[in-house]
Amino acid sequence: MYTPAAEEIAVAFGLGEPVGELVRVRRGDADTWRLETVGGSYFVKGFVGFDRRRVAVGMGFEGRVREAGVDVPEPIAPIDPLLGWVARIGARPVRVYRWVEGVGERDVSVWLGRTMARVHQVQPVGQVGLPEWWRAAVHPAATWEGWFARAEEGGAAWAGLRADSVPHILAVTERITELCDVAPDIVTTHGDFKPHNLVMSASGPVLVDWDSVRTDSAALEAGRAAYIFGDGEAEQTNRILDAYVAAGGELGWTGPDLFLSVARHHIQVLAEQIRVSLGEATAIGWMGDRAAREAAIADLLRELPAKLEALSGLARDRLGDGVGDGSGLGFGAE
């Protein structure tokens, strides 16, 4: 993969004379570097894969969010654009932002809730029903039973956890299937509200990395993000959600399904790991070696009932035991 020189980037984006070489920040889905020039400090992103349509959608939404006053990094326009804020340098599509200097951790609960609400208000989709990517976590009972049967035949240690876990998996699957047709609040959104995509600057938090823009249920994304940033702890999670509601976000329709996106993630990760274990799919980097994968499957199966009950408990604490019209079943197995 071609790595552009500091001088090439500086010329392509009109940044002034470089005062040093590129300093690598991260290698992964994109290569990123820090560049210092006489004009300032910059964050440089070199795309590894370049889906033109996806990048265009993401940049368009990023621009609208920026106009709406959301705290995002300042993009630098190239002199000769390939697409929007992207230039081609050699064979490499590249973006540049003004560098955001991190200053340490602070409580971002109120900021996060308010920012999610703002983002969700920028581009409502105006349709009912969860987007198609939610269905990646949905597999019928016969598929799960077949996976466990094959695992047992192959002597996998985790196969014996079937009876305690499959009913809970199917309960989550049922809730996702039902909401796929009725979720009322689909919006275009950042798509990856996680701590590593938030930089605490001297002037406050900044939401970075707009490469995962997608559609989602506003309330279900808010529930998942609040759970992640709140580390599953009720008080912190509720502070984020209180700020979300105060800024105009709506949660009430979810009832006990408020944290369904967290549950969906658990069973999707589990299904991906099981398929690799059984030879149906190829392992990807975060899964580790075979021993690590087998241990991860066993741990998640063992912990799943308690994890799902904790999510249901958080929703009950947030919304009250008698919330809703009885249509939400929570995640527990009957």
Side-chain angles (χ1 to χ4, degrees):
M1 181 68 68
Y2 177 74
T3 299
E7 292 79 5
E8 292 179 293
I9 297 168
V11 168
F13 287 86
L15 306 179
E17 187 72 21
V19 295
E21 298 301 318
L22 292 176
V23 176
R24 184 176 294 280
V25 176
R26 186 176 68 90
R27 172 178 286 152
D29 297 338
D31 292 330
T32 60
W33 304 271
R34 183 171 183 168
L35 172 63
E36 300 281 350
T37 79
V38 295
S41 298
Y42 301 94
F43 179 86
V44 180
K45 174 181 289 187
F47 292 87
V48 172
F50 189 70
D51 182 330
R52 191 181 184 95
R53 180 182 177 281
R54 183 177 179 86
V55 171
V57 168
M59 282 194 300
F61 185 65
E62 179 185 350
R64 287 186 286 276
V65 164
R66 181 177 172 80
E67 291 172 359
V70 175
D71 301 300
V72 301
E74 178 188 348
I76 305 298
I79 293 172
D80 182 17
L82 168 66
L83 175 69
W85 290 312
V86 179
R88 186 182 297 281
I89 302 177
R92 195 77 179 269
V94 173
R95 277 200 68 177
V96 174
Y97 296 88
R98 194 165 297 280
W99 182 266
V100 179
E101 189 67 48
V103 296
E105 296 184 3
R106 300 177 191 167
D107 183 8
V108 298
S109 301
V110 173
W111 178 90
L112 177 62
R114 183 178 66 242
T115 297
M116 282 195 294
R118 276 180 163 180
V119 170
H120 291 164
Q121 291 158 6
V122 168
Q123 193 172 315
V125 174
Q127 71 181 41
V128 173
L130 293 172
E132 189 62 28
W133 61 263
W134 267 78
R135 298 182 186 272
V138 173
H139 301 282
T143 297
W144 286 100
E145 294 291 355
W147 284 340
F148 276 92
R150 288 174 56 194
E152 187 172 10
E153 291 171 4
W158 49 264
L161 298 169
R162 181 195 64 79
D164 291 334
S165 56
V166 168
H168 296 277
I169 292 169
L170 298 181
V172 175
T173 298
E174 180 181 4
R175 295 306 303 141
I176 293 173
T177 300
E178 292 183 14
L179 292 190
C180 274
D181 296 326
V182 301
D185 62 342
I186 309 306
V187 297
T188 303
T189 184
H190 179 273
D192 200 19
F193 283 102
K194 292 178 183 173
H196 65 261
N197 284 331
L198 189 155
V199 178
M200 180 60 70
S201 73
S203 60
V206 178
L207 185 60
V208 305
D209 195 353
W210 292 81
D211 290 346
S212 298
V213 168
R214 63 184 181 184
T215 58
D216 199 358
S217 156
L220 296 182
E221 181 179 59
R224 183 178 180 214
Y227 177 87
I228 291 171
F229 277 86
D231 200 23
E233 191 273 321
E235 182 177 356
Q236 191 76 356
T237 299
N238 282 325
R239 286 190 66 198
I240 297 168
L241 294 174
D242 287 344
Y244 180 78
V245 171
E250 297 284 345
L251 300 174
W253 73 267
T254 62
D257 293 319
L258 179 57
F259 301 104
L260 183 61
S261 189
V262 182
R264 178 207 62 81
H265 179 73
H266 287 326
I267 66 169
Q268 182 170 339
V269 168
L270 181 60
E272 290 172 354
Q273 291 174 321
I274 286 176
R275 292 188 65 233
V276 169
S277 175
L278 298 176
E280 294 183 5
T282 302
I284 52 181
W286 62 265
M287 294 182 176
D289 60 19
R290 179 173 178 78
R293 294 193 298 270
E294 296 298 294
I297 293 171
D299 288 344
L300 186 49
L301 287 170
R302 196 176 295 113
E303 297 166 1
L304 189 63
K307 284 179 179 287
L308 297 180
E309 177 53 37
L311 294 174
S312 293
L314 274 177
R316 287 194 300 269
D317 290 345
R318 167 89 195 159
L319 300 169
D321 290 335
V323 71
D325 60 3
S327 59
L329 302 178
F331 309 128
E334 294 294 330

